[in-house]
Amino acid sequence: MNKEKKSGSSRRDFVKTTALAAAGFMIVPRHVLGGKGFIAPSDRLVIAGVGAGGKGASDLTGFASGGKADIGFLCDVDDRRAAGSVKNFPKAKYYKDWREMFDKESKHFDAVSVSTPDHNHAITTLAAMQLKKHVYVQKPLTHDIYEARILTEAAVRYKVVTQMGNQGASSDGSRKLMEWYNAGLIGDVHTVYCWTDRPVWPQGIAWPATKSDIPKELNWDLWLGTAPQTDYIDKLVPFNWRGWWDYGTGALGDMGCHLVDAPFRVLGLKYPTDVECSVGSVYVDQFKRGYFPESCPPSSHVIMTFNSAKQNNAEVKMHWMDGGIQPARPQELGPDEIFGDGGNGVLFIGTKGKMLCDTYGKNPRLLPASRNAEINVPATLARVPGQEAGHYTQWVDAAIAGYGKQEVSSDFSIAGPLTEALLMGNLAIRGFDVRKANASGNGFTYPGRYKKLLWDGPNMKITNFDEANQFVKREYRKGWTLGA
């Protein structure tokens, strides 16, 4: 009898063990069964691209180049711009309206790349996050300060992996600058200069009086999206929209995310406390300054005050210069040395020295150049493999891993406040053109000019010039809402 019990027990154990072994065999990851180099479908990211031409095309190529992402869907309002991506990703299904794509295909993709004109970033991105999709958004993150705050909060609420397309955030150069500063090589920083030769598109001009025919390949209504209804004008699409406030954010919005990012990281900056500016003018006749409030100015010099979290909240003055304006060359810079990369650059001025870099934080160096031979600061910050190119694959890997599992260089907790700061600088630039008719009916006054604007960052409000607050949050065109 004991023998029979033992025998029965052995048989049951054998069956149980065999069943467990079979079950274990069935759940072996497919990448193991597929052999070296095989990536299981569960370890791949399916991306829907909203904006498939220009920068959108290069973004999609960047995601696909890492080998772990599939471009499953494409969306663009302009068939001409999308043609290259349609050819490069022949298996991707193509749409013109991202809303239709989201409604019909949301179960079939994991993440969304947004590369549209600035004025449509927020509405597309928030809709994607509400579907629990990871998002990669071109810079600047949004057109308005309010939108940036909404997206920053939404990323946490919906627990999605986010990244803004300022690739320099993943560069070794930015990390070297942080390590040198942390090692005390230049002491406490009190002044930063950032400059660019942008705009490289028309600005400071009147809106064309003559409308043009809408190209048959372009859905003009969808391109306008949240912006006011207006006639189509020639050359606005695909690039020159950047110089018009209804769609773009000027040179500061375009290049600020690439140049101001490094000082933001190095000094631990967040919201500015105040801003002042001067802007270039266009004269249309003798002593007659042109008034073109719809267009960004041809050049500007913006000065923002920050409190540095890494310097016991000590003040830092950040100068932004565009339109080819540059700060005075440092005395430590040799007469034949290039200042920044020529057209763009960032200069840190500290109590013990100065350091300089190019766009994306590239080519960091101390001034004078002789000091660079003495640098012996160990690398303490993790590098991103591939640097700028790795900005794409870093986001793909983090999205596959899931929310909170892997770090990315420019998630919305960083990109949101950075974008807010830049757009706050634009409040001063736009406030420069706010005008009021004189009581006499003869001429105008410009109450926003030649003054410092005080900023309440947490509440997103200028406290001493209320007229500038109209630019914190704009009214969307009827039929378009930010579903916050």
Side-chain angles (χ1 to χ4, degrees):
M1 189 170 179
N2 290 338
K3 211 180 233 186
E4 289 176 1
K5 283 186 178 181
K6 187 174 181 181
S7 177
S9 176
S10 298
R11 282 195 298 271
R12 284 193 297 272
D13 289 344
F14 172 79
V15 171
K16 182 179 179 182
T17 303
T18 303
L20 287 173
F25 176 79
M26 293 299 290
I27 62 172
V28 169
R30 285 194 61 195
H31 69 271
V32 173
L33 300 178
K36 186 177 180 181
F38 179 81
I39 300 176
S42 59
D43 295 329
R44 300 187 67 82
L45 191 73
V46 179
I47 298 173
V50 181
K55 192 59 192 167
S58 63
D59 287 344
L60 294 170
T61 300
F63 303 135
S65 66
K68 296 181 183 179
D70 295 320
I71 310 305
F73 302 90
L74 297 171
C75 180
D76 205 294
V77 299
D78 191 339
D79 294 342
R80 299 166 302 174
R81 300 289 288 169
S85 291
V86 170
K87 181 179 179 181
N88 291 336
F89 304 105
K91 294 182 180 180
K93 192 172 181 179
Y94 180 65
Y95 285 86
K96 277 220 170 185
D97 190 333
W98 60 265
R99 297 168 300 180
E100 180 186 4
M101 181 176 71
F102 283 12
D103 286 343
K104 292 182 177 180
E105 309 290 357
S106 62
K107 293 180 180 179
H108 305 129
F109 59 82
D110 311 301
V112 177
S113 168
V114 179
S115 185
T116 67
D118 301 349
H119 68 292
N120 287 326
H121 280 189
I123 193 169
T124 312
T125 302
L126 183 60
M129 289 197 287
Q130 288 172 334
L131 291 171
K132 303 294 180 71
K133 307 303 179 183
H134 309 296
V135 286
Y136 183 103
V137 185
Q138 257 310 314
K139 52 77 193 169
L141 183 61
T142 60
H143 183 279
D144 302 345
I145 293 170
Y146 172 79
E147 294 172 330
R149 185 70 60 87
I150 290 295
L151 294 194
T152 302
E153 294 171 350
V156 177
R157 184 183 316 124
Y158 296 111
K159 292 180 169 47
V160 293
V161 177
T162 59
Q163 183 95 296
M164 183 169 73
N166 55 328
Q167 302 95 311
S170 292
S171 73
D172 287 359
S174 293
R175 285 154 181 75
K176 283 185 179 180
L177 291 167
M178 293 171 68
E179 288 162 352
W180 295 353
Y181 169 80
N182 293 342
L185 296 190
I186 64 168
D188 290 334
V189 172
H190 52 80
T191 307
V192 177
Y193 287 94
C194 303
W195 66 95
T196 182
D197 54 7
R198 305 280 176 114
V200 291
W201 51 83
Q203 286 192 182
I205 58 175
W207 184 262
T210 304
K211 68 177 183 179
S212 302
D213 292 332
I214 301 172
K216 65 180 185 303
E217 301 90 348
L218 172 68
N219 187 314
W220 176 236
D221 184 69
L222 289 178
W223 189 94
L224 283 174
T226 63
Q229 182 65 46
T230 190
D231 291 331
Y232 175 81
I233 61 169
D234 194 30
K235 296 184 179 179
L236 183 71
V237 178
F239 190 69
N240 291 347
W241 55 265
R242 296 180 181 279
W244 301 100
W245 289 122
D246 277 343
Y247 321 112
T249 49
L252 181 52
D254 179 61
M255 287 299 291
C257 293
H258 291 317
L259 293 163
V260 179
D261 177 76
F264 241 69
R265 295 171 188 277
V266 169
L267 302 173
L269 305 181
K270 196 173 183 184
Y271 302 132
T273 58
D274 58 65
V275 62
E276 54 189 296
C277 81
S278 56
V279 302
S281 301
V282 176
Y283 280 76
V284 296
D285 205 342
Q286 296 179 19
F287 297 99
K288 185 179 180 181
R289 174 187 273 167
Y291 182 67
F292 310 119
E294 302 92 353
S295 180
C296 311
S299 60
S300 68
H301 178 191
V302 178
I303 307 171
M304 292 179 278
T305 304
F306 293 88
N307 293 320
S308 171
K310 292 187 179 180
Q311 297 179 166
N312 296 318
N313 288 324
E315 280 193 357
V316 174
K317 293 287 186 182
M318 180 180 293
H319 295 253
W320 169 266
M321 298 174 169
D322 59 46
I325 301 172
Q326 295 190 358
R329 290 173 62 87
Q331 292 182 343
E332 299 90 341
L333 192 68
D336 295 322
E337 291 182 76
I338 300 296
F339 193 19
D341 57 24
N344 312 274
V346 181
L347 174 67
F348 298 78
I349 303 178
T351 54
K352 295 181 181 179
K354 299 172 184 176
M355 60 186 184
L356 179 67
C357 70
D358 303 346
T359 311
Y360 295 164
K362 286 185 175 181
N363 192 23
R365 61 264 198 206
L366 298 178
L367 297 179
S370 58
R371 287 195 65 189
N372 292 286
E374 305 167 5
I375 297 175
N376 188 24
V377 176
T380 57
L381 300 172
R383 272 31 177 187
V384 177
Q387 299 192 66
E388 290 88 355
H391 198 65
Y392 297 108
T393 53
Q394 180 196 58
W395 173 72
V396 169
D397 288 342
I400 290 172
Y403 178 76
K405 300 292 180 62
Q406 293 184 19
E407 288 188 6
V408 291
S409 298
S410 195
D411 67 76
F412 289 1
S413 69
I414 300 169
L418 171 60
T419 298
E420 284 193 38
L422 300 175
L423 298 179
M424 182 268 190
N426 272 343
L427 293 185
I429 295 175
R430 299 191 72 177
F432 200 85
D433 273 337
V434 170
R435 71 181 186 181
K436 295 182 177 180
N438 290 326
S440 64
N442 183 24
F444 299 88
T445 59
Y446 297 85
R449 293 182 179 179
Y450 317 120
K451 67 192 298 180
K452 178 184 290 185
L453 304 184
L454 306 180
W455 180 241
D456 177 355
N459 293 305
M460 299 181 286
K461 185 178 182 180
I462 295 287
T463 59
N464 64 330
F465 181 51
D466 191 55
E467 288 89 341
N469 290 317
Q470 65 183 293
F471 307 120
V472 171
K473 178 186 177 184
R474 68 202 151 97
E475 290 290 328
Y476 286 178
R477 185 162 59 112
K478 186 178 180 180
W480 298 84
T481 58
L482 189 64

